[in-house]
Amino acid sequence: MNGSEHRTLVLGGARSGKSAHAEGLLPREGAATYVATARRDPRDEEWNRRIADHVARRPANWKTVEAPRPDDLIDLLDNARAADPPILVDDLATWLTGALDDAGAWERDTSALTTVRGQRDELTRASESCSARLVLVSAEVGLGVVPESRAGRLFRDELGALNAGLAEVCDSVLLLVAGLPLRLR
């Protein structure tokens, strides 16, 4: 990592190693704030195991903040100071899923989509103005397959727009493929 990189976006497909790589961008011996965007579901044991695996690999000196609601993350970034420990947000695909759920946007209701797009723009603005070192993790979708369902196409389109907006404001953008980082910027 270059010392001048204040904001980094780490993209990758499912199981690409993007989260582990993003974690490796921050010093393990120092403090960090890990922002988890996933929503817990007590009925989903497999999902809860995945969350536990992520927690287990983090250094004990990292603080975890759960931010499952769209405004939770935006507020956290808006209130970060330059002297704060680095912030790692994992991940923005689950953040977007929550935003789409909360707004009831899956059926492409115009007012619901306006709400989600406003939150997406606010997240991009908050990321750009965040004073603390920031590492964002997001899924890269849409590498050629057109989803069969309307909801799948909506998610692909909205996540693609979110990733593109964040890439514009980040100093560094990485794409993880088969565990290997490719520097895009």
Side-chain angles (χ1 to χ4, degrees):
M1 176 183 67
N2 181 328
S4 66
E5 295 173 356
H6 183 72
R7 286 175 298 280
T8 301
L9 176 61
V10 179
L11 301 166
R15 312 310 294 168
S16 65
K18 62 189 174 290
S19 294
H21 186 82
E23 292 168 10
L25 294 175
L26 302 180
R28 295 191 65 78
E29 64 281 352
T33 300
Y34 185 101
V35 182
T37 62
R39 295 181 180 187
R40 295 178 182 268
D41 181 351
R43 299 164 294 164
D44 190 338
E45 291 180 29
E46 187 269 341
W47 183 246
N48 291 325
R49 275 194 305 276
R50 284 177 180 258
I51 291 172
D53 289 346
H54 271 250
V55 171
R57 77 170 180 237
R58 283 181 226 142
N61 50 323
W62 286 15
K63 178 176 114 179
T64 298
V65 174
E66 294 192 9
R69 304 279 176 233
D71 290 341
D72 296 340
L73 177 56
I74 293 165
D75 290 344
L76 185 140
L77 297 179
D78 278 339
N79 292 308
R81 298 171 316 193
D84 288 347
I87 299 169
L88 189 154
V89 178
D90 194 4
D91 87 352
L92 297 174
T94 55
W95 178 88
L96 178 64
T97 299
L100 290 164
D101 284 346
D102 290 353
W106 291 106
E107 294 302 316
R108 293 186 182 261
D109 172 83
T110 304
S111 64
L113 283 174
T114 299
T115 297
V116 171
R117 290 171 181 159
Q119 291 169 324
R120 182 184 74 204
D121 292 346
E122 279 298 296
L123 177 60
T124 301
R125 180 209 47 79
S127 297
E128 182 176 28
S129 65
C130 181
S131 296
R133 165 82 172 104
L134 180 61
V135 177
L136 303 164
V137 178
S138 189
E140 179 56 48
V141 295
L143 293 173
V145 175
V146 176
E148 184 177 322
S149 70
R150 180 183 355 185
R153 290 187 299 274
L154 171 70
F155 180 75
R156 178 207 53 196
D157 294 349
E158 293 301 316
L159 187 59
L162 175 61
N163 289 346
L166 290 168
E168 286 182 26
V169 302
C170 286
D171 308 302
S172 174
V173 181
L174 305 172
L175 175 65
L176 268 282
V177 178
L180 301 173
L182 302 170
R183 181 171 288 278
L184 305 178
R185 172 178 322 140

